[in-house]
Amino acid sequence: MQRHGSGGSAANGFRIGFRAAGLVLLLAHMVLVGWLTLRPLDVMWVNADNLELFAGIKADLALGPAEAARRIGEGLLLLAPLGVLLPVAGGRLDVSPWASLARTVAAGALVSLAIELLQTVVPGRVVDVDALLLNTAGVALTHLAVVPAARARLRRGPVVRRDEVPQGATPTIPRVGIAP
């Protein structure tokens, strides 16, 4: 027997497709980040590891405003898509905004930490604690800028145009017995 209801199956199908697209985009982004950050570099020398907080940012600022903006922007933007892709891949609409932010930022920080630790074994790459800080800040800023508004929009449901206003239930004709 087929059940007719309020369209729950269509909404669930939309959410499943949305979540699947989020997972695919998340995987693609992580492959790109891995390729950008974990491939060996052919360099004549390697800087020492930066384990002092804000030392790398101060050094970037000493290079001038344009170069500092480029380097700090790269740090903020590297993992910034995770701020949106992680909640989309999670697929929940009714969740506390603060819990969502905390989970997303924690996951972004762990991904950034994993990248920094994996860079210790890659030739030409070094650990930079400021990169960890900038990557995590980028995830948090992106999440705050996009996710709450997007969730509120998705909770409201689809926009119904005036010419597509539902007309109500389809009228039915009662059965009339013709044969004895």
Side-chain angles (χ1 to χ4, degrees):
M1 173 187 278
Q2 190 174 11
R3 301 174 91 192
H4 297 284
S6 62
S9 62
N12 287 338
F14 175 73
R15 285 186 188 169
I16 291 170
F18 203 63
R19 186 175 183 189
L23 287 170
V24 169
L25 289 172
L26 179 63
L27 178 64
H29 178 68
M30 292 311 300
V31 167
L32 176 67
V33 167
W35 181 78
L36 289 172
T37 59
L38 298 177
R39 61 190 165 124
L41 296 177
D42 293 328
V43 292
M44 298 290 283
W45 70 91
V46 176
N47 294 332
D49 292 340
N50 175 23
L51 300 177
E52 182 182 337
L53 197 59
F54 299 117
I57 294 173
K58 287 178 189 174
D60 291 342
L61 291 172
L63 296 174
E67 186 65 18
R70 185 186 68 78
R71 288 184 179 203
I72 292 172
E74 286 175 356
L76 287 171
L77 292 176
L78 180 67
L79 294 180
L82 293 182
V84 174
L85 293 176
L86 288 171
V88 168
R92 292 192 239 165
L93 289 179
D94 298 324
V95 65
S96 165
W98 295 111
S100 175
L101 177 65
R103 273 195 308 268
T104 303
V105 170
L110 288 174
V111 168
S112 183
L113 179 63
I115 290 169
E116 292 300 321
L117 292 176
L118 287 171
Q119 284 180 342
T120 61
V121 297
V122 178
R125 301 285 184 167
V126 294
V127 174
D128 186 4
V129 71
D130 291 333
L132 176 71
L133 177 71
L134 289 172
N135 292 339
T136 305
V139 170
L141 290 172
T142 305
H143 183 88
L144 286 171
V146 175
V147 173
R151 279 194 174 136
R153 170 70 180 96
L154 287 173
R155 273 190 227 113
R156 281 194 303 259
V159 175
V160 178
R161 295 187 339 213
R162 260 186 149 3
D163 58 342
E164 294 178 0
V165 176
Q167 300 297 316
T170 304
T172 57
I173 300 172
R175 292 185 174 228
V176 177
I178 297 174

